[in-house]
Amino acid sequence: MSRKEKLIKRFLSQPKDFTFQELVTLFSIFGFTVNKKGKTSGSRVEFVNDAAEKSYSMHKPHPSNVLKPYAMKQALDFLKDENFVKE
């Protein structure tokens, strides 16, 4: 099993210690890049996939780098709805 497959499997299990950096890596596997949305965006980031013409916006977790369960669920729902992952 490759590193990419392991990361996807880990994400699908919805662990309590999944970090924002792991999410960035996960989205990059599917061709997304991070767009910080300008100086006044605060902690808001946008994942953009120009080829598929898709985007996903969220807030970076703070003060910790670990994602909240609701953020994990929303990201999973987006990736499922857009057919990037299948459970």
Side-chain angles (χ1 to χ4, degrees), residues 5-17:
E5 291 169 334
K6 286 180 183 177
L7 182 62
I8 293 168
K9 185 177 179 180
R10 175 170 152 72
F11 176 73
L12 290 175
S13 72
Q14 296 284 284
K16 302 259 186 234
D17 62 345

Side-chain angles (χ1 to χ4, degrees), residues 69-85:
Y70 78 89
M72 292 279 296
K73 175 84 170 92
Q74 289 172 347
L76 177 60
D77 289 344
F78 169 78
L79 291 172
K80 278 187 193 175
D81 291 346
E82 301 300 333
N83 297 316
F84 288 105
V85 295

Side-chain angles (χ1 to χ4, degrees), residues 1-7:
M1 186 181 288
S2 72
R3 292 169 108 191
K4 292 177 182 179
E5 291 169 334
K6 286 180 183 177
L7 182 62

Side-chain angles (χ1 to χ4, degrees), residues 25-84:
T25 304
L26 178 75
F27 271 83
S28 71
I29 290 170
F30 300 117
F32 287 84
T33 57
V34 177
N35 181 2
K36 301 229 176 156
K37 300 197 56 121
K39 285 184 175 182
T40 60
S41 67
S43 64
R44 181 154 288 300
V45 295
E46 182 178 31
F47 295 96
V48 180
N49 183 328
D50 292 327
E53 297 180 351
K54 304 288 182 195
S55 69
Y56 178 73
S57 296
M58 69 176 295
H59 284 280
K60 282 184 185 178
H62 54 81
S64 158
N65 197 28
V66 177
L67 295 172
K68 302 279 186 197
Y70 78 89
M72 292 279 296
K73 175 84 170 92
Q74 289 172 347
L76 177 60
D77 289 344
F78 169 78
L79 291 172
K80 278 187 193 175
D81 291 346
E82 301 300 333
N83 297 316
F84 288 105

